[in-house]
Amino acid sequence: MEWISYLGPLWQGAWVTIQLTLYSTVLGALLSFAAGIGKRSSIWPLRILSAVYVEVFRGTSLLVQLFWLYFALPLAGNAIGIDLRLDPVVAGVLALGLNIGAYGAEVVRGGLKSVSQQQLEAAQALNFTPRQTLWRISLPQAIPEMLPAFGNLAVQNLKDTALVSLISLGDLAFRAEQVRNFTQDSATVYTLVLLMYFGMALVLAGMIKLLEMSVGRWRTVSR
Amino acid sequence: MSSQTPASPDQTPARPLVRFSKVTKRYGEHTVLDDLDLDVAAGEKVTIIGPSGSGKSTVLRILMTLETLTDGLIEIDGEPLWHERRGDQLKPASEAHLRKMRGQLGMVFQQFNLFPHMSVQRNLTEAPRQVLGLSRKEAQSRATELLERVGLADHANKYPGQLSGGQQQRVGIARALMMRPRVMLFDEPTSALDPELVGEVLHVIRTLADEHDLTVLMVTHEMSFARRFSDRVCFFDKGRIHEQGTPEQIFTDPREARTREFLRAVLEPDV
């Protein structure tokens, strides 16, 4: 029963992975809404800012973004005399959140676009301001539409956390590599790791499903 | 422009509550409203009938500020809707001006356009609370009273999706009335309904319009209702009022050939 002894360090790593996923998904969600709403703003600098953010972070690799934040940013900071060295956790959460937020922004934009013109006309006829219409009419109807796509992104994000092992952050992938180096038992270690990622993904997908059911209750009522 | 009548409400003839002066609406080459003049007096019930594509709904939509006009002037109680007076000049209206003017109008839509994620009660109370700043208690008592009037007191906590089309439209009417508009616009309020549900909605419109002494501008295909309900019927064709008069005159003695032709087609369809 050699493999039981692997579970300690692997569980340690899994806990880091869970935290990374949680923080970066929350950050990503906030950025998604900020940029997704920003892209439809009537204020043009907000539109441009949102579009630039989305294009830059969708158009470059997550790995490069991570390395840039962790290795290049401190050097850039040095050059102008500011300390921009980031803790690996902070760099990891930032890179993952910024990356997933750029994809999420498109989901938010698409969701808002799917709200029917008739709903917006009803809101205007009742004299709601554009802001009230967004928060009280459009978003509550669009969020249930967005959640399945958000679920995909969150699972994607969970799997992407493995990249942070490359800046020597002790997540699941990093611990797996350590255990494997130490024991040379690749088959067992990678099988365990596979199952652990899969288990976490299942739990995450289940949580999103629950959220979907609770925010979209009005969609399933029948006469 | 002849809107310089002094504001003295007890003198007759009163200034019209709604006035369209030479209103034109074009989409590219296509002219939807062509130099339209139309007055609606306070308390008057005017129905607009006519073939589809004649610009009937556009009249309501421009009045509700859902669509812009290309040319002309619309006034509500003497105040320009799409323009603001600056000195003796008319400038395009600001958003603040449009908001102020919009508050005097209420609209009922063909497809009801209820908010599906809100209960019936909240469909009614949301705008009065957020837009008019009513307290929860005031808004709720107003809603209870109106739901009672439209016969839906027992359905306050349901979602629109749980109601029949006729019930949804009655909620739509109550929702518009919650804002206490001076003018109610009905855009084919029964066209999307199953035939057996039309009666309940028309009944509600009629009762409430009488009770609240509403000013009503309605586009409809329900000819017998138009005849019983209206003070005046306008027959629209090609973006203009082709003929208008009392329901009696329009339905029994239409002067224009085009009106006769339309009414014959609607009332006695050749099978």
Side-chain angles (χ1 to χ4, degrees), chain B residues 107-172:
Chain B
M107 186 154 181
V108 172
F109 296 89
Q110 184 177 354
Q111 302 289 344
F112 331 133
N113 300 11
L114 298 182
F115 303 128
H117 59 298
M118 295 180 187
S119 68
V120 166
Q121 166 99 358
R122 250 193 86 200
N123 262 279
L124 265 63
T125 55
E126 190 74 357
R129 293 203 57 200
Q130 303 301 329
V131 177
L132 304 180
L134 257 59
S135 72
R136 177 191 296 268
K137 223 174 131 197
E138 283 173 294
Q140 272 173 2
S141 82
R142 221 183 250 196
T144 307
E145 190 190 317
L146 271 168
L147 283 178
E148 193 95 29
R149 298 303 302 134
V150 301
L152 293 172
D154 299 339
H155 300 272
N157 296 315
K158 291 189 177 166
Y159 286 108
Q162 294 170 290
L163 303 179
S164 74
Q167 291 170 326
Q168 289 189 51
Q169 191 59 298
R170 285 186 276 153
V171 175

Side-chain angles (χ1 to χ4, degrees), chain A residues 10-27:
Chain A
L10 290 184
W11 172 246
Q12 259 188 337
W15 177 236
V16 172
T17 294
I18 289 170
Q19 286 176 302
L20 271 174
T21 306
L22 185 70
Y23 299 149
S24 61
T25 303
V26 168
L27 174 65

Side-chain angles (χ1 to χ4, degrees), chain B residues 43-242:
Chain B
E44 196 180 13
K45 281 125 187 93
V46 176
T47 48
I48 299 176
I49 62 172
S52 58
S54 59
K56 307 185 299 283
S57 289
T58 308
V59 172
L60 303 191
R61 294 176 55 79
I62 290 183
L63 197 50
M64 194 65 253
T65 70
L66 301 177
E67 281 177 44
T68 58
L69 41 62
T70 312
D71 203 3
L73 185 68
I74 299 175
E75 288 163 298
I76 296 175
D77 205 7
E79 189 163 4
L81 172 67
W82 279 102
H83 302 83
E84 276 176 89
R85 288 193 212 283
R86 299 262 170 72
D88 35 335
Q89 279 194 315
L90 284 178
K91 296 270 163 59
S94 63
E95 186 52 38
H97 178 79
L98 286 176
R99 282 182 58 75
K100 187 184 91 184
M101 299 305 286
R102 231 180 254 141
Q104 310 184 48
L105 303 159
M107 186 154 181
V108 172
F109 296 89
Q110 184 177 354
Q111 302 289 344
F112 331 133
N113 300 11
L114 298 182
F115 303 128
H117 59 298
M118 295 180 187
S119 68
V120 166
Q121 166 99 358
R122 250 193 86 200
N123 262 279
L124 265 63
T125 55
E126 190 74 357
R129 293 203 57 200
Q130 303 301 329
V131 177
L132 304 180
L134 257 59
S135 72
R136 177 191 296 268
K137 223 174 131 197
E138 283 173 294
Q140 272 173 2
S141 82
R142 221 183 250 196
T144 307
E145 190 190 317
L146 271 168
L147 283 178
E148 193 95 29
R149 298 303 302 134
V150 301
L152 293 172
D154 299 339
H155 300 272
N157 296 315
K158 291 189 177 166
Y159 286 108
Q162 294 170 290
L163 303 179
S164 74
Q167 291 170 326
Q168 289 189 51
Q169 191 59 298
R170 285 186 276 153
V171 175
I173 294 165
R175 182 178 70 174
L177 285 173
M178 286 290 288
M179 307 296 279
R180 305 246 166 105
R182 301 175 77 184
V183 184
M184 277 288 280
L185 312 176
F186 292 88
D187 188 8
E188 302 196 29
T190 58
S191 297
L193 297 177
D194 291 338
E196 78 269 24
L197 303 178
V198 168
E200 62 186 62
V201 170
L202 294 180
H203 176 74
V204 159
I205 293 175
R206 193 166 187 188
T207 337
L208 287 173
D210 284 347
E211 277 174 18
H212 295 246
D213 197 23
L214 290 175
T215 307
V216 173
L217 194 51
M218 175 189 278
V219 172
T220 185
H221 292 293
E222 297 294 331
M223 294 304 152
S224 57
F225 180 75
R227 186 165 181 174
R228 278 179 289 130
F229 173 75
S230 326
D231 299 315
R232 179 154 49 107
V233 176
C234 299
F235 172 69
F236 255 64
D237 194 31
K238 301 195 175 72
R240 288 165 170 267
I241 298 177
H242 200 73

Side-chain angles (χ1 to χ4, degrees), chain B residues 10-29:
Chain B
D10 42 317
Q11 273 179 13
T12 45
R15 173 166 69 187
L17 186 51
V18 177
R19 164 167 278 177
F20 281 67
S21 313
K22 298 188 178 309
V23 171
T24 296
K25 172 71 181 179
R26 276 188 224 98
Y27 295 107
E29 294 289 283

